[in-house]
Amino acid sequence: MRSAWSGMRRGAVVAGGVLLSVVLAGCSSGSAEQNGDSAGTTTGKSASSSESSSDSAIANPKDATAVGVCELLPKKAAAQLGVQPDGKKRDNVLGATQTDNCTWKSQEDFTAIALSPVVNRSLDTYYEHESEYVDFERITVHGYPGIRSNKVKPMESGSCGMHVAVQEDQLVQSFATVPSDDPGSADPCALAKKALRLSLPSWPAAE
């Protein structure tokens, strides 16, 4: 049973990651975290989709493209997340706004975390398409605004992605998968958000 489920989960991880990038699906943890992180005002379809770009203003912008993509997650952070310290770079094949991504995996199971900068895109893209998602929430990570927007339920799929805005037109996507023989027992959104929380302070300031 374990091997069969793991095979199915690995397939879902690949498909989910591609789908997430193609349909602009972002995601975040479903609950507030410490260190300046907080959930958005609401979860679901109740937040207004008429927000202006002023909501995406960044007080202390960072540039996630100023370092190698596999440098976005510090080794110490990787250890805290339970994944290997060295990530594997994957070349961008999805379009002009996407950049290369880096994936860190666990040696123990199929837990994985991927980070990737997204250029020339703001959070407004997600606000404007809120009705398309079954899982939607506004978040902050260390004071930076972000968005969780999934077309499938993370606790059922075992995968979750989110975006945090480090500049008005630059986002960083975090995508996490968690293995489990019992869907719903582990929260992939919590892992995706923790990856951002542990890594964001190390990213260089925008010039």
Side-chain angles (χ1 to χ4, degrees), residues 28-31 148 154-155 158 160 176 178 184-192:
S28 74
S29 67
S31 60
R148 165 178 170 171
M155 293 299 289
C160 181
V178 293
S185 64
D187 184 358
C189 291
L191 182 63

Side-chain angles (χ1 to χ4, degrees), residues 189-207:
C189 291
L191 182 63
K193 190 172 185 181
K194 186 176 181 180
L196 290 175
R197 179 166 58 80
L198 293 176
S199 59
L200 191 153
S202 72
W203 303 340
E207 296 183 358

Side-chain angles (χ1 to χ4, degrees), residues 140-152:
T140 61
V141 179
H142 289 298
Y144 291 79
I147 198 73
R148 165 178 170 171
S149 49
N150 291 286
K151 292 195 172 182
V152 294

Side-chain angles (χ1 to χ4, degrees), residues 3 8 20 22 27 30 38-39 42 44 66 69 81 133 137 154-155 157 170 178 189-190:
S3 59
M8 293 174 65
L20 186 72
V22 173
C27 104
S38 65
T42 53
V69 68
L81 294 166
Y133 304 106
E137 184 178 356
M155 293 299 289
S157 66
Q170 184 185 124
V178 293
C189 291

